[in-house]
Amino acid sequence: MPSASWPSQNLRNLERTGALKQEPTSASEIRRLIELARGSLASAGLKSNSLEVRYQVAYAAAHFLALAALRSNNYRTAAREGHRQLLFQLLPHTCGVDLSAALALDHAHRKRNELEYTGAVDVTEAETGSLIAATGGLQESFLDWIKRHRPELS
């Protein structure tokens, strides 16, 4: 079970507004999300992939980890607009990620949406490298958090 301080009051408040729903998770679900994140992050590092592909799979890895963090607190987002962005905004509350890291991933989410839905945005090597680094940091933070707060899921 989550420790006394988890889930945070913010998660409980969002449940009351209907933005989140309580739903039990399982170790197999969390392991699968971590596995998907690791594979995506590895693909993001392959220079043989285009910058756009590397950016998108780095984003996918961050999304899998943010989802795993929320699911580790036995919550799921409600199916409505902005649910992916909410995952990144909740990282300080779901796994204790630093606010600046959460904001960087939130920014990446907006850029990914522009890329995926309009195709009119360019990504740079620096932006892709920053996203890969931020996602690697999220992975490290989440894995540390889960060992301390939900070891039965790791």
Side-chain angles (χ1 to χ4, degrees):
M1 287 307 297
S3 69
S5 62
W6 297 95
S8 78
Q9 186 62 45
N10 294 49
L11 298 180
R12 292 188 290 268
N13 289 343
L14 286 167
E15 179 185 11
R16 281 193 285 281
T17 70
L20 296 180
K21 297 178 181 182
Q22 271 199 12
E23 182 179 289
T25 192
S26 66
S28 62
E29 177 185 16
I30 300 305
R31 281 193 301 268
R32 179 68 180 142
L33 290 168
I34 292 169
E35 189 177 295
L36 288 167
R38 283 186 176 136
S40 295
L41 196 53
S43 292
L46 295 176
K47 299 286 184 176
S48 58
N49 288 329
S50 71
L51 271 179
E52 291 80 9
V53 167
R54 292 174 56 218
Y55 192 90
Q56 287 180 310
V57 294
Y59 169 85
H63 177 260
F64 288 133
L65 291 165
L67 179 57
L70 182 63
R71 296 296 296 127
S72 294
N73 284 276
N74 293 314
Y75 281 99
R76 168 173 300 290
T77 58
R80 60 177 161 182
E81 191 173 327
H83 67 278
R84 284 177 167 254
Q85 186 173 21
L86 183 60
L87 289 174
F88 295 118
Q89 293 170 347
L90 287 174
L91 285 169
H93 308 289
T94 57
C95 65
V97 167
D98 181 77
L99 181 59
S100 63
L103 290 173
L105 291 167
D106 183 53
H107 173 74
H109 167 76
R110 287 191 297 275
K111 183 132 187 148
R112 170 264 181 192
N113 278 356
E114 289 179 47
L115 178 63
E116 187 161 308
Y117 297 122
T118 70
V121 67
D122 292 322
V123 295
T124 66
E125 185 70 48
E127 288 172 320
T128 302
S130 291
L131 178 54
I132 291 169
T135 303
L138 171 57
Q139 180 176 264
E140 186 178 313
S141 294
F142 172 66
L143 293 175
D144 180 59
W145 181 89
I146 202 167
K147 285 178 187 170
R148 288 185 288 115
H149 295 277
R150 299 297 310 270
E152 74 280 9
L153 296 177
S154 58

